[in-house]
Short mmCIF file of all heavy atoms in Angstrom, two decimals:
data_model
loop_
_atom_site.label_atom_id
_atom_site.label_comp_id
_atom_site.label_asym_id
_atom_site.label_seq_id
_atom_site.Cartn_x
_atom_site.Cartn_y
_atom_site.Cartn_z
N TRP A 507 -2.74 1.90 3.13
CA TRP A 507 -1.33 1.56 2.97
C TRP A 507 -0.56 1.65 4.29
O TRP A 507 0.56 1.18 4.39
CB TRP A 507 -0.66 2.42 1.90
CG TRP A 507 -0.54 3.90 2.19
CD1 TRP A 507 0.21 4.47 3.16
CD2 TRP A 507 -1.17 4.98 1.49
NE1 TRP A 507 0.11 5.84 3.12
CE2 TRP A 507 -0.73 6.18 2.09
CE3 TRP A 507 -2.03 5.04 0.40
CZ2 TRP A 507 -1.15 7.43 1.64
CZ3 TRP A 507 -2.44 6.29 -0.04
CH2 TRP A 507 -2.01 7.45 0.58
N ASP A 508 -1.19 2.24 5.32
CA ASP A 508 -0.53 2.29 6.62
C ASP A 508 -0.53 0.93 7.31
O ASP A 508 -0.02 0.80 8.42
CB ASP A 508 -1.20 3.34 7.52
CG ASP A 508 -0.97 4.75 7.01
OD1 ASP A 508 0.19 5.16 6.95
OD2 ASP A 508 -1.95 5.42 6.64
N SER A 509 -1.10 -0.10 6.66
CA SER A 509 -0.96 -1.46 7.17
C SER A 509 0.47 -1.95 7.08
O SER A 509 0.81 -2.97 7.69
CB SER A 509 -1.89 -2.40 6.39
OG SER A 509 -3.25 -2.12 6.68
N ASP A 510 1.30 -1.26 6.32
CA ASP A 510 2.72 -1.60 6.27
C ASP A 510 3.35 -1.29 7.62
O ASP A 510 3.31 -0.15 8.10
CB ASP A 510 3.42 -0.81 5.17
CG ASP A 510 4.89 -1.16 5.06
OD1 ASP A 510 5.67 -0.64 5.87
OD2 ASP A 510 5.24 -1.96 4.18
N PHE A 511 3.93 -2.30 8.25
CA PHE A 511 4.42 -2.18 9.63
C PHE A 511 5.49 -1.10 9.77
O PHE A 511 5.44 -0.26 10.68
CB PHE A 511 4.98 -3.53 10.07
CG PHE A 511 5.46 -3.58 11.49
CD1 PHE A 511 4.57 -3.81 12.52
CD2 PHE A 511 6.80 -3.38 11.80
CE1 PHE A 511 5.00 -3.86 13.83
CE2 PHE A 511 7.24 -3.43 13.11
CZ PHE A 511 6.34 -3.67 14.13
N ILE A 512 6.47 -1.10 8.87
CA ILE A 512 7.57 -0.14 8.98
C ILE A 512 7.09 1.28 8.70
O ILE A 512 7.48 2.23 9.38
CB ILE A 512 8.72 -0.52 8.03
CG1 ILE A 512 9.26 -1.91 8.40
CG2 ILE A 512 9.85 0.50 8.09
CD1 ILE A 512 9.86 -2.00 9.78
N LEU A 513 6.20 1.44 7.70
CA LEU A 513 5.66 2.77 7.41
C LEU A 513 4.87 3.29 8.61
O LEU A 513 4.98 4.47 8.98
CB LEU A 513 4.77 2.70 6.17
CG LEU A 513 4.18 4.02 5.69
CD1 LEU A 513 5.28 4.97 5.26
CD2 LEU A 513 3.19 3.80 4.54
N PHE A 514 4.08 2.41 9.23
CA PHE A 514 3.32 2.79 10.43
C PHE A 514 4.26 3.34 11.49
O PHE A 514 4.01 4.40 12.09
CB PHE A 514 2.57 1.56 10.94
CG PHE A 514 1.80 1.79 12.21
CD1 PHE A 514 0.48 2.20 12.18
CD2 PHE A 514 2.39 1.60 13.46
CE1 PHE A 514 -0.24 2.41 13.34
CE2 PHE A 514 1.69 1.80 14.63
CZ PHE A 514 0.36 2.21 14.57
N PHE A 515 5.37 2.64 11.73
CA PHE A 515 6.29 3.09 12.77
C PHE A 515 7.08 4.33 12.36
O PHE A 515 7.51 5.10 13.21
CB PHE A 515 7.23 1.95 13.17
CG PHE A 515 6.74 1.21 14.37
CD1 PHE A 515 5.79 0.22 14.24
CD2 PHE A 515 7.19 1.54 15.64
CE1 PHE A 515 5.30 -0.44 15.36
CE2 PHE A 515 6.71 0.89 16.76
CZ PHE A 515 5.77 -0.11 16.61
N ASN A 516 7.27 4.54 11.06
CA ASN A 516 7.89 5.79 10.62
C ASN A 516 7.03 6.99 11.02
O ASN A 516 7.54 7.98 11.53
CB ASN A 516 8.08 5.77 9.09
CG ASN A 516 9.49 5.39 8.69
OD1 ASN A 516 10.43 6.10 9.00
ND2 ASN A 516 9.63 4.26 8.02
N TYR A 517 5.72 6.88 10.75
CA TYR A 517 4.82 7.97 11.14
C TYR A 517 4.76 8.13 12.66
O TYR A 517 4.74 9.25 13.18
CB TYR A 517 3.42 7.71 10.58
CG TYR A 517 3.24 8.17 9.16
CD1 TYR A 517 3.20 7.26 8.11
CD2 TYR A 517 3.12 9.53 8.85
CE1 TYR A 517 3.04 7.69 6.79
CE2 TYR A 517 2.96 9.97 7.56
CZ TYR A 517 2.92 9.04 6.52
OH TYR A 517 2.76 9.48 5.22
N LEU A 518 4.72 7.01 13.37
CA LEU A 518 4.71 7.07 14.83
C LEU A 518 5.94 7.79 15.36
O LEU A 518 5.85 8.67 16.23
CB LEU A 518 4.62 5.66 15.40
CG LEU A 518 4.70 5.54 16.93
CD1 LEU A 518 3.53 6.24 17.57
CD2 LEU A 518 4.75 4.08 17.35
N ALA A 519 7.12 7.42 14.83
CA ALA A 519 8.37 8.05 15.27
C ALA A 519 8.37 9.54 14.98
O ALA A 519 8.79 10.36 15.80
CB ALA A 519 9.56 7.37 14.59
N GLU A 520 7.87 9.93 13.79
CA GLU A 520 7.83 11.35 13.43
C GLU A 520 6.87 12.11 14.33
O GLU A 520 7.16 13.23 14.77
CB GLU A 520 7.42 11.50 11.97
CG GLU A 520 7.19 12.94 11.52
CD GLU A 520 8.41 13.84 11.67
OE1 GLU A 520 9.54 13.32 11.72
OE2 GLU A 520 8.23 15.08 11.73
N GLY A 521 5.73 11.49 14.64
CA GLY A 521 4.78 12.15 15.54
C GLY A 521 5.37 12.35 16.93
O GLY A 521 5.22 13.43 17.53
N ILE A 522 6.06 11.35 17.46
CA ILE A 522 6.71 11.47 18.76
C ILE A 522 7.81 12.52 18.71
O ILE A 522 8.00 13.30 19.65
CB ILE A 522 7.29 10.10 19.21
CG1 ILE A 522 6.17 9.06 19.38
CG2 ILE A 522 8.10 10.25 20.49
CD1 ILE A 522 5.24 9.30 20.52
N ARG A 523 8.53 12.55 17.60
CA ARG A 523 9.65 13.52 17.46
C ARG A 523 9.17 14.96 17.57
O ARG A 523 9.88 15.82 18.09
CB ARG A 523 10.36 13.29 16.13
CG ARG A 523 11.69 14.04 15.99
CD ARG A 523 12.21 14.02 14.57
NE ARG A 523 11.31 14.70 13.67
CZ ARG A 523 11.21 16.03 13.57
NH1 ARG A 523 11.98 16.81 14.32
NH2 ARG A 523 10.36 16.59 12.74
N ARG A 524 7.96 15.23 17.10
CA ARG A 524 7.43 16.59 17.17
C ARG A 524 7.21 17.04 18.62
O ARG A 524 7.19 18.23 18.91
CB ARG A 524 6.11 16.67 16.42
CG ARG A 524 6.25 16.48 14.90
CD ARG A 524 4.89 16.62 14.23
NE ARG A 524 4.98 16.48 12.79
CZ ARG A 524 3.96 16.70 11.95
NH1 ARG A 524 2.78 17.04 12.43
NH2 ARG A 524 4.13 16.55 10.65
N ILE A 525 7.04 16.07 19.52
CA ILE A 525 6.80 16.39 20.93
C ILE A 525 8.08 16.22 21.74
O ILE A 525 8.44 17.09 22.54
CB ILE A 525 5.70 15.47 21.49
CG1 ILE A 525 4.43 15.60 20.65
CG2 ILE A 525 5.42 15.79 22.96
CD1 ILE A 525 3.38 14.55 20.97
N GLU A 526 8.76 15.10 21.56
CA GLU A 526 10.00 14.77 22.26
C GLU A 526 11.07 14.47 21.21
O GLU A 526 11.22 13.33 20.78
CB GLU A 526 9.81 13.56 23.18
CG GLU A 526 8.87 13.79 24.34
CD GLU A 526 9.58 14.46 25.52
OE1 GLU A 526 10.80 14.76 25.38
OE2 GLU A 526 8.93 14.67 26.55
N PRO A 527 11.81 15.51 20.75
CA PRO A 527 12.75 15.32 19.64
C PRO A 527 13.77 14.20 19.86
O PRO A 527 14.01 13.40 18.96
CB PRO A 527 13.44 16.68 19.53
CG PRO A 527 12.43 17.65 20.06
CD PRO A 527 11.73 16.92 21.17
N SER A 528 14.34 14.11 21.05
CA SER A 528 15.38 13.11 21.28
C SER A 528 14.81 11.69 21.23
O SER A 528 15.42 10.78 20.64
CB SER A 528 16.06 13.35 22.64
OG SER A 528 15.12 13.22 23.69
N ILE A 529 13.63 11.50 21.83
CA ILE A 529 13.02 10.17 21.81
C ILE A 529 12.57 9.82 20.40
O ILE A 529 12.74 8.69 19.94
CB ILE A 529 11.85 10.10 22.81
CG1 ILE A 529 12.40 10.19 24.24
CG2 ILE A 529 11.02 8.84 22.63
CD1 ILE A 529 11.35 10.18 25.31
N GLY A 530 12.02 10.80 19.69
CA GLY A 530 11.63 10.55 18.30
C GLY A 530 12.81 10.19 17.43
O GLY A 530 12.73 9.30 16.58
N ASP A 531 13.95 10.88 17.67
CA ASP A 531 15.16 10.58 16.89
C ASP A 531 15.66 9.16 17.19
O ASP A 531 16.15 8.47 16.30
CB ASP A 531 16.26 11.59 17.21
CG ASP A 531 15.96 12.97 16.62
OD1 ASP A 531 15.09 13.05 15.73
OD2 ASP A 531 16.58 13.96 17.06
N THR A 532 15.54 8.74 18.45
CA THR A 532 15.96 7.38 18.80
C THR A 532 15.08 6.34 18.11
O THR A 532 15.57 5.34 17.60
CB THR A 532 15.90 7.18 20.33
OG1 THR A 532 16.71 8.18 20.97
CG2 THR A 532 16.40 5.80 20.71
N LEU A 533 13.77 6.60 18.08
CA LEU A 533 12.86 5.69 17.38
C LEU A 533 13.19 5.64 15.89
O LEU A 533 13.19 4.58 15.27
CB LEU A 533 11.41 6.13 17.58
CG LEU A 533 10.84 5.96 18.99
CD1 LEU A 533 9.45 6.58 19.07
CD2 LEU A 533 10.78 4.49 19.38
N THR A 534 13.50 6.81 15.32
CA THR A 534 13.85 6.85 13.90
C THR A 534 15.14 6.08 13.65
O THR A 534 15.27 5.38 12.64
CB THR A 534 14.02 8.31 13.44
OG1 THR A 534 12.78 9.01 13.65
CG2 THR A 534 14.38 8.38 11.96
N SER A 535 16.08 6.19 14.57
CA SER A 535 17.34 5.44 14.44
C SER A 535 17.08 3.94 14.44
O SER A 535 17.68 3.19 13.66
CB SER A 535 18.30 5.81 15.58
OG SER A 535 19.48 5.05 15.51
N LEU A 536 16.17 3.50 15.30
CA LEU A 536 15.81 2.08 15.31
C LEU A 536 15.23 1.65 13.97
O LEU A 536 15.53 0.58 13.45
CB LEU A 536 14.79 1.80 16.42
CG LEU A 536 15.29 1.83 17.86
CD1 LEU A 536 14.12 1.70 18.82
CD2 LEU A 536 16.29 0.71 18.10
N LEU A 537 14.39 2.52 13.39
CA LEU A 537 13.77 2.20 12.11
C LEU A 537 14.79 2.14 10.99
O LEU A 537 14.72 1.29 10.11
CB LEU A 537 12.70 3.24 11.79
CG LEU A 537 11.41 3.12 12.62
CD1 LEU A 537 10.60 4.40 12.53
CD2 LEU A 537 10.59 1.96 12.14
N LEU A 538 15.75 3.06 11.01
CA LEU A 538 16.76 3.06 9.96
C LEU A 538 17.62 1.81 10.02
O LEU A 538 18.22 1.42 9.02
CB LEU A 538 17.64 4.31 10.09
CG LEU A 538 16.93 5.64 9.78
CD1 LEU A 538 17.85 6.81 10.05
CD2 LEU A 538 16.46 5.67 8.33
#
Side-chain angles (χ1 to χ4, degrees):
W507 66 66
D508 292 299
S509 291
D510 181 280
F511 183 84
I512 299 298
L513 183 63
F514 177 91
F515 264 83
N516 262 296
Y517 276 105
L518 176 63
E520 173 60 22
I522 298 291
R523 191 192 64 77
R524 293 181 178 187
I525 304 169
E526 293 277 2
S528 62
I529 292 178
D531 289 343
T532 303
L533 291 174
T534 301
S535 177
L536 287 173
L537 286 163
L538 292 175

